[in-house]
Amino acid sequence: MSLKRRCEHVTEGTHEAGSGTLLNKIYTELYITEGQSEEVDTQHEVRQLERTSKKNIQDTPIKCQDIFKVLSEQQRHIRVVLTNGVAGVGKTFSVQKFSLDWAEGSENQDISLVLPLSCRELNLIRDEQHSLLSLLHVFHPTLQKIRAEDLTVWKLLFIFDGLDESRFSLGFNKHQVISDVTQVSSVGVLLVNLIQGNLLPSALIWITSRPAAAHQIPPSCVDRITEVRGFTDSQKEEYFRRRFSDEDLSKRIISHIKASRSLHIMCLIPVFCWITAIVLEDMMTRDQRGELPKTLTDLYSHFLRVQIKRKKQKYGGKQRPEELTEADKELLLKLGRLAFEHLEKGNIMFYSEDLERCGLDVSEVSVYSGVCTEIFKRESVIFQKSVYCFVHLSVQEFLAAVYMFHRYTRKDTAVINNENGHLDLFVRFLHGLSLESNQRILGGLLDQRRATQKPSRRGDIRGELSEIHCSALAYLLQMSEEVLDELNLLQYNTSEDGRRRLIPAVRNCRKAVLSHCSLSEISCDSLASALRSNPSHLRVLELSQNQLKDPGVKLLCGFLQDSLCELETLSLSRCSLSETSCDSVASALKSNRSHLRVLDLSYNTLQDSGVKRLCSGLESPNCKLERLRLINCSLSEFSCDSLALALRSNPSHLRELDLGGNSCRIQE
């Protein structure tokens, strides 16, 4: 009964009294898969969404209620489950739904006791010593009378929600071994012993985490990995239909989201659906003359204005609801400072002392509940100590960008000392805030004294493009409705790593010139991933004078055989290729999916044996190649026989063959 009371009501973004909604009324099924997508912890979380925006036929869907069930004969007993997912994707909602279904008697009734423990709350006692038994007494007061022997005979499920938010260390290699539930130690040591099975070996363990923190749990300790992918396209629509009783309004909102690629992708995340719903409902239900938001910065700017208006309507005032007062500006910039300073540190949780350091009065924050409680929610935890956090990581990044842009326009330089991929969205917001349309939305919050010095599409906000600027620019180019005629990486004033970060933009251009960019086989993996997009616009790819080598070419030739790839011209001259690469190229030429018409393999040491392998592709009836360049490839007269045979067998397409710089002659 206690757990049911805890879980049956939820709050979306706000923890104001009386704002709770029945979970079962709004809960929309999430798309959860068994296993983990590739590279989930190497990119900014929002950049991962595009890779997961399309349902992969190889994914194995799994229902939240079934994560501890053995689903095939190959699987053994499932004791420890690790669930990954980006911020706001629905991990905590999944925990709450699982717990509520158990408490109501509808699912997993073989479990004696479900024990949710938030890592955010466990942080408050990270410096204290507890036994597992006393820990349960503290966080679940209804279990005060539970005995140690009960824990050893019951089937228990411990849920540690939000491992990424933990501030206690997990030392799996060297730690105190504990097997008694009354033995006292630190929170981290208790958790490690539970996961390893030293403590209550029959207990089930469920851990949720954002991808970047999941590595703290050794793979050998985990029986099943699942990933919360968020909403599928149909689930997005279901969310908005369930949220609005007005069917016409929900249809208009769904239609607008579908029309914007960036909004549609971001709506994989339930929290982002909530932000989108707030803004579009406000704009569609009043006299709306302006254009509806189509970009992230545009949407978040409107979101901020909606919160300001709600605060004015709640507390009254002489000014119009949309008007931004000096007090509003001051408060929002203080929140922006808090967001910016803690974004650099990687902090997503704050305490009252953190607020005070930024000039924020805790009571003042609560008065501005229309702004701060929606954007900036307060977690009530044990001992009634308040923990604050932004409703979503992206909101923190947006306010941080507002704060930094404000300082920039006032010629007060704000420096990012530790630039890394996890600041990408923050920089995208910076670029977006340079647009006059977004400056108008935010009114006087952004001082426009230097706003005319806005960054161009190539991004000149701080001279030479930094790595995170390149990531931001790549994002902007990908999201653009306009397809670029040509993307030439040498035109950008940046480092080699910066140019590599621009590679994903290849998916939204017709011609990509990536020559002399110090690309390696690792870059080929990134490039191949970018080219498996739908629709595929790329027709010409220039990769000459890069150290791609044979493994890199093998990766690239894999995408040439993809049904989505429509590449027609490929240059791989001076790419340090050997005869081995010819096998990969030949396989691509044999594929009936290949659209390749022009191929340049010049200035690579292919030798006669390589050309012989290449000719197996030229002989294929599927080969559509019209122009082939093999200049200076260390060929002799032996290559002539192979090429002549290939030309006889399939003479209908090849129109141009360049063998300059080789010791060979093709006879009539």
Side-chain angles (χ1 to χ4, degrees):
M1 290 175 66
S2 172
L3 192 60
K4 181 183 176 183
R5 284 194 299 270
R6 283 191 183 202
C7 298
E8 64 184 351
H9 285 87
V10 294
T11 52
E12 291 182 291
T14 172
H15 278 213
E16 291 182 278
S19 65
T21 306
L22 286 173
L23 173 63
N24 285 331
K25 180 181 179 182
I26 66 161
Y27 184 79
T28 303
E29 193 73 36
L30 289 157
Y31 180 51
I32 304 174
T33 60
E34 186 170 11
Q36 180 171 296
S37 59
E38 298 176 1
E39 299 178 353
V40 293
D41 61 347
T42 61
Q43 298 180 335
H44 184 284
E45 291 185 344
V46 173
R47 292 171 67 192
Q48 296 168 27
L49 297 180
E50 194 155 274
R51 296 196 63 176
T52 59
S53 62
K54 302 178 185 69
K55 186 174 178 180
N56 192 317
I57 57 172
Q58 295 180 340
D59 292 337
T60 305
I62 186 171
K63 290 186 176 181
C64 172
Q65 297 87 349
D66 296 339
I67 61 170
F68 285 99
K69 295 177 181 176
V70 176
L71 302 179
S72 68
E73 295 179 358
Q74 290 77 27
Q75 289 176 331
R76 55 177 181 171
H77 171 65
I78 308 295
R79 193 182 76 85
V80 178
V81 174
L82 174 62
T83 295
N84 285 314
V86 301
V89 79
K91 299 185 297 295
T92 297
F93 262 46
S94 296
V95 166
Q96 202 164 338
K97 176 63 174 171
F98 184 102
S99 302
L100 180 61
D101 286 348
W102 175 84
E104 291 183 335
S106 61
E107 296 283 352
N108 292 289
Q109 295 305 288
D110 58 315
I111 298 175
S112 307
L113 201 58
V114 173
L115 301 162
L117 294 166
S118 166
C119 291
R120 181 177 295 181
E121 296 187 3
L122 288 172
N123 287 334
L124 297 174
I125 59 166
R126 67 182 182 275
D127 297 325
E128 299 177 13
Q129 298 283 303
H130 280 275
S131 69
L132 183 61
L133 187 61
S134 67
L135 199 69
L136 296 182
H137 291 165
V138 169
F139 287 94
H140 293 279
T142 53
L143 302 179
Q144 288 288 347
K145 295 181 179 179
I146 199 171
R147 301 170 300 172
E149 51 267 34
D150 295 327
L151 295 183
T152 60
V153 296
W154 291 349
K155 185 176 182 180
L156 308 176
L157 167 58
F158 290 88
I159 305 176
F160 295 97
D161 187 28
L163 180 68
D164 49 282
E165 297 178 348
S166 70
R167 292 187 180 179
F168 45 84
S169 59
L170 300 178
F172 279 88
N173 295 326
K174 188 177 181 181
H175 63 83
Q176 176 188 10
V177 176
I178 295 177
S179 57
D180 190 335
V181 296
T182 62
Q183 192 172 346
V184 173
S185 190
S186 66
V187 174
V189 170
L190 292 176
L191 181 52
V192 167
N193 277 279
L194 270 171
I195 293 171
Q196 288 186 329
N198 302 323
L199 190 59
L200 297 180
S202 62
L204 304 178
I205 312 293
W206 184 12
I207 304 160
T208 73
S209 175
R210 286 160 62 185
H215 69 276
Q216 296 181 65
I217 310 297
S220 58
C221 294
V222 179
D223 300 304
R224 172 176 282 160
I225 295 178
T226 64
E227 183 179 355
V228 182
R229 300 282 188 91
F231 289 150
T232 61
D233 289 350
S234 60
Q235 288 166 344
K236 294 173 195 174
E237 295 183 22
E238 182 187 348
Y239 173 88
F240 290 106
R241 283 196 298 268
R242 294 182 68 141
R243 182 178 179 89
F244 301 110
S245 56
D246 186 335
E247 185 178 347
D248 180 62
L249 177 61
S250 64
K251 284 182 178 179
R252 288 166 62 201
I253 288 176
I254 291 168
S255 177
H256 178 73
I257 290 168
K258 284 182 174 180
S260 170
R261 185 182 176 200
S262 57
L263 298 190
H264 195 246
I265 290 171
M266 285 294 288
C267 277
L268 281 165
I269 298 180
V271 165
F272 188 79
C273 288
W274 171 76
I275 292 173
T276 304
I278 284 176
V279 171
L280 295 184
E281 180 184 25
D282 179 79
M283 298 183 75
M284 288 180 174
T285 54
R286 60 183 171 88
D287 184 18
Q288 173 58 42
R289 296 179 183 178
E291 189 178 5
L292 292 173
K294 293 181 179 178
T295 67
L296 294 187
T297 307
D298 192 2
L299 189 80
Y300 277 64
S301 299
H302 279 288
F303 178 68
L304 204 58
R305 293 309 302 255
V306 170
Q307 304 314 317
I308 293 167
K309 185 175 77 171
R310 288 187 175 185
K311 185 268 293 185
K312 302 280 178 62
Q313 290 172 338
K314 182 173 181 178
Y315 292 100
K318 296 181 181 178
Q319 71 282 352
R320 291 179 300 160
E322 292 83 5
E323 187 178 334
L324 205 63
T325 66
E326 288 301 318
D328 293 329
K329 296 177 191 176
E330 184 179 356
L331 175 68
L332 291 173
L333 289 173
K334 286 177 180 177
L335 284 172
R337 177 188 168 189
L338 179 76
F340 175 77
E341 292 180 355
H342 285 270
L343 190 64
E344 276 198 291
K345 299 173 185 175
N347 289 346
I348 60 172
M349 294 187 302
F350 325 103
Y351 299 98
S352 56
E353 54 266 31
D354 297 320
L355 271 63
E356 290 164 4
R357 264 193 295 271
C358 292
L360 284 162
D361 185 275
V362 175
S363 60
E364 181 186 32
V365 170
S366 62
V367 169
Y368 280 82
S369 59
V371 178
C372 304
T373 316
E374 296 282 320
I375 298 175
F376 190 67
K377 67 183 180 182
R378 176 186 173 211
E379 298 286 349
S380 297
V381 292
I382 58 169
F383 315 130
Q384 298 302 306
K385 183 173 181 179
S386 296
V387 180
Y388 298 85
C389 73
F390 292 94
V391 69
H392 187 243
L393 175 63
S394 60
V395 175
Q396 181 176 348
E397 291 172 301
F398 176 69
L399 280 173
V402 169
Y403 170 74
M404 189 171 184
F405 193 85
H406 172 77
R407 291 186 63 177
Y408 169 77
T409 56
R410 295 178 63 85
K411 299 184 180 181
D412 182 12
T413 305
V415 179
I416 304 174
N417 294 315
N418 300 311
E419 297 179 356
N420 58 55
H422 290 277
L423 292 175
D424 289 341
L425 187 60
F426 160 73
V427 178
R428 290 172 202 166
F429 280 135
L430 269 182
H431 279 264
L433 290 170
S434 70
L435 299 175
E436 292 181 8
S437 58
N438 290 322
Q439 293 165 15
R440 286 195 299 271
I441 295 168
L442 293 176
L445 182 60
L446 299 175
D447 191 333
Q448 297 182 14
R449 280 178 284 179
R450 291 178 69 193
T452 54
Q453 303 176 16
K454 59 181 180 292
S456 68
R457 288 190 73 175
R458 290 185 184 174
D460 53 3
I461 193 168
R462 296 201 271 295
E464 179 180 344
L465 284 175
S466 69
E467 283 81 2
I468 56 171
H469 284 142
C470 290
S471 293
L473 182 56
Y475 173 81
L476 293 174
L477 295 175
Q478 289 177 76
M479 293 296 111
S480 173
E481 299 296 328
E482 179 186 353
V483 179
L484 289 176
D485 285 329
E486 180 176 322
L487 175 70
N488 189 337
L489 297 194
L490 289 178
Q491 293 179 351
Y492 296 90
N493 180 21
T494 185
S495 65
E496 291 178 357
D497 186 57
R499 290 194 180 95
R500 283 190 284 270
R501 290 200 182 199
L502 285 166
I503 288 176
V506 166
R507 74 181 63 208
N508 200 31
C509 70
R510 296 182 180 89
K511 178 180 180 180
V513 180
L514 313 183
S515 305
H516 298 274
C517 289
S518 301
L519 304 184
S520 65
E521 59 187 272
I522 297 174
S523 306
C524 288
D525 188 33
S526 174
L527 179 61
S529 175
L531 290 170
R532 287 191 176 98
S533 58
N534 188 14
S536 177
H537 303 287
L538 193 69
R539 298 296 179 267
V540 179
L541 179 58
E542 171 63 71
L543 289 168
S544 60
Q545 303 207 40
N546 288 293
Q547 295 294 312
L548 303 184
K549 300 183 179 178
D550 298 326
V553 172
K554 185 176 182 180
L555 282 168
L556 288 174
C557 288
F559 82 74
L560 287 175
Q561 301 173 58
D562 193 289
S563 59
L564 296 174
C565 178
E566 297 186 30
L567 194 70
E568 297 174 356
T569 299
L570 176 62
S571 175
L572 294 170
S573 64
R574 291 186 169 93
C575 285
S576 301
L577 310 184
S578 74
E579 58 189 83
T580 306
S581 292
C582 293
D583 283 331
S584 303
V585 175
S587 295
L589 294 176
K590 291 176 186 177
S591 172
N592 60 1
R593 295 174 177 174
S594 174
H595 294 263
L596 208 61
R597 299 293 188 274
V598 180
L599 177 63
D600 189 352
L601 295 172
S602 302
Y603 298 94
N604 290 294
T605 312
L606 304 184
Q607 304 183 82
D608 297 327
S609 56
V611 169
K612 186 173 182 180
R613 299 179 185 188
L614 182 66
C615 286
S616 67
L618 294 173
E619 293 169 359
S620 170
N622 291 323
C623 178
K624 302 177 182 68
L625 208 62
E626 297 174 359
R627 299 165 66 185
L628 175 62
R629 298 189 186 101
L630 297 171
I631 302 169
N632 281 318
C633 287
S634 302
L635 308 183
S636 74
E637 291 186 2
F638 288 106
S639 294
C640 298
D641 293 334
S642 302
L643 286 166
L645 183 62
L647 292 174
R648 289 193 198 102
S649 64
N650 187 17
S652 59
H653 294 294
L654 201 65
R655 296 291 178 264
E656 181 182 318
L657 175 63
D658 195 335
L659 294 169
N662 293 291
S663 302
C664 62
R665 272 199 319 266
I666 294 186
Q667 305 294 326
E668 287 187 20

